[in-house]
Amino acid sequence: MASIAPVSAGTLLKQPSFLFFLLSRSLTRFASQIGAVAIGWQIYALTGSAFDLGMVGLVQFLPTALLVFVAGHAADRFERKRVVQLCQLVEAATALFLCWGSYGGWIAEVHIFIATFVLGMAGAFESPTIAALLPLIAPQGSLQRATALSSAAAQLATITGPAVGGLAYAVAPGLPYGIMLAFWLLAMLFTGGIVVTEPEPAKHGEMSDDIFAGVRFIRGNPAILGTISLDLFAVLFGGVTALLPIYARDILDAGPMGLGILRAAPAVGALFMTTILARHAIDRRVGLRMFQAVIVFGIATVVFGLSHWMWLSLLALAALGAADTISVVIRFSLVQLSTPNEMRGRVGAVNFLFINASNYLGQFESGVTAALLGTVASAVLGGVATVAVALLWMKLFPSLRNVERLE
């Protein structure tokens, strides 16, 4: 790809459309993180069942699997910011329902599961659409920095959102949902202020009506196929977060407070790395740098798995989060820049499905392996498998490894 003069992070933040995008995405992520805590606590308070608690994630993931092709088609068929606004309106209405039921005292488990499914449906449409919207906002030569800034905002929400949700729930079970309602309504207003720099995708034509075109495009593009599948298998084997409660209680003897610190460590490392990438974009050998980041991710997972010291475990998790951020920024930028505008929604929907599947299946894989082989063996084996996948993918997808520049 041709080299284009870079745009600084400061210049990006002064552009109204990008600032509106950043605020909208940040508020949406904040609301989602608050909701994850509130819904989890409320389900467990109502049922006392660990199984029902685990079902929350499955119920929220199912719409992504069921609607992947329809959601991608909608992102390419209709005006993207309107699709995002509609999703945020549905999310706000769902938060209002949960708030009303919680304050009224009539909310039951089935109501929360239905609301969770609706939130999953809205997210299935919103995530690929908002991802396809970013390249239409960021000036040429700035997508990597724009992605880094967007990731930084998301990490801030990941770090602080659960704390806000927990504190709000302690005041009143309905309060977190009230905050989510306000955040999603504000996000909808900010989304409405976005002005794209390119025409929206064509509304008619054979390609625009083909909901499976994204799958065929990915299959025919080795670099994109390698990028998406690398993320799937790397996270599948390297998902150590499911084991953090065991490490906090039984191995590091850190208790509930330590568990909270351990959960925040990857996000802190990711936030640190995004601030670096926002100022200093990776401008050469980006394909190789992505593979190197995945290898560091795997090594950090092994170090965490073997560690019996809290300080070393925190450093390993922070390194893991930082390495993952490098990989995420490169992968997102590569996929978006390599995909025609009229296909970004459908390609992004498939990518979103792979990301969600790897996260949930990764937690399942870690739990099963830990039950069979032990916690430490599960973490170490997952890290080693991640490194092996990265090395294998370097051989299988040389065109991905040899990508020199993104923009």
Side-chain angles (χ1 to χ4, degrees):
M1 298 181 184
S3 177
I4 299 173
V7 177
S8 70
T11 302
L12 268 175
L13 291 172
K14 292 176 182 177
Q15 299 202 2
S17 287
F18 179 72
L19 189 57
F20 288 147
F21 174 90
L22 203 61
L23 290 169
S24 173
R25 188 169 187 269
S26 299
L27 288 168
T28 291
R29 179 61 68 93
F30 260 109
S32 298
Q33 292 294 320
I34 291 170
V37 172
I39 288 172
W41 272 106
Q42 196 163 35
I43 281 287
Y44 197 66
L46 288 171
T47 68
S49 169
F51 176 78
D52 287 341
L53 191 58
M55 284 294 292
V56 172
L58 178 61
V59 169
Q60 198 158 10
F61 170 70
L62 278 176
T64 302
L66 296 174
L67 299 172
V68 55
F69 298 114
V70 178
H73 179 257
D76 287 334
R77 183 72 173 79
F78 303 105
E79 186 179 359
R80 285 170 182 157
K81 76 172 186 178
R82 301 305 178 199
V83 174
V84 173
Q85 281 186 301
L86 180 59
C87 293
Q88 290 166 339
L89 179 61
V90 171
E91 289 163 336
T94 307
L96 177 61
F97 170 79
L98 290 169
C99 182
W100 177 35
S102 297
Y103 276 114
W106 52 261
I107 199 163
E109 177 188 7
V110 64
H111 299 128
I112 299 176
F113 277 128
I114 291 172
T116 301
F117 188 82
V118 173
L119 290 175
M121 289 178 60
F125 282 87
E126 183 179 5
S127 293
T129 307
I130 205 164
L133 191 58
L134 182 55
L136 302 180
I137 300 167
Q140 284 189 315
S142 66
L143 183 59
Q144 190 181 153
R145 282 193 171 92
T147 302
L149 288 170
S150 180
S151 297
Q155 294 302 332
L156 278 173
T158 301
I159 294 169
T160 59
V164 173
L167 289 172
Y169 191 91
V171 174
L175 183 57
Y177 304 123
I179 296 173
M180 292 160 59
L181 169 63
F183 279 10
W184 268 318
L185 289 177
L186 284 172
M188 187 174 66
L189 291 176
F190 286 127
T191 302
I194 294 173
V195 178
V196 300
T197 56
E198 296 179 22
E200 283 286 337
K203 303 296 190 296
H204 302 288
E206 181 180 349
M207 184 65 72
S208 67
D209 292 328
D210 185 355
I211 65 173
F212 300 108
V215 176
R216 284 192 288 273
F217 180 82
I218 292 170
R219 190 172 57 190
N221 190 311
I224 294 181
L225 177 61
T227 300
I228 293 177
S229 58
L230 175 65
D231 175 66
L232 172 64
F233 288 102
V235 176
L236 176 64
F237 292 121
V240 76
T241 55
L243 304 177
L244 291 182
I246 302 175
Y247 269 90
R249 190 186 69 177
D250 300 334
I251 297 176
L252 299 173
D253 195 25
M257 181 66 72
L259 174 59
I261 296 173
L262 288 171
R263 284 195 176 276
V268 171
L271 182 60
F272 173 76
M273 183 53 64
T274 53
T275 59
I276 294 176
L277 293 178
R279 294 179 61 86
H280 307 287
I282 301 172
D283 57 2
R284 59 186 299 271
R285 306 188 73 180
V286 293
L288 181 61
R289 297 292 178 260
M290 182 183 68
F291 281 112
Q292 290 171 339
V294 175
I295 290 171
V296 171
F297 179 94
I299 293 172
T301 301
V302 172
V303 172
F304 173 81
L306 295 173
S307 172
H308 285 71
W309 298 280
M310 186 67 173
W311 65 269
L312 181 58
S313 298
L314 290 173
L315 284 177
L317 288 173
L320 180 152
D324 186 50
T325 295
I326 296 174
S327 176
V328 165
V329 169
I330 294 176
R331 288 199 315 265
F332 178 88
S333 301
L334 192 151
V335 170
Q336 294 298 323
L337 291 170
S338 301
T339 305
N341 180 48
E342 65 273 11
M343 295 281 294
R344 283 173 178 154
R346 283 164 286 183
V347 171
V350 176
N351 189 25
F352 181 58
L353 174 64
F354 273 48
I355 291 171
N356 268 6
S358 63
N359 286 330
Y360 288 106
L361 292 177
Q363 294 178 18
F364 176 74
E365 179 272 335
S366 295
V368 170
T369 308
L372 294 174
L373 303 177
T375 303
V376 173
S378 173
V380 172
L381 184 61
V384 171
T386 299
V387 174
V389 165
L391 294 174
L392 178 60
W393 256 237
M394 289 177 71
K395 296 291 185 182
L396 293 177
F397 299 96
S399 60
L400 178 58
R401 183 190 67 226
N402 294 329
V403 172
E404 180 68 18
R405 295 179 182 274
L406 289 173
E407 302 176 87

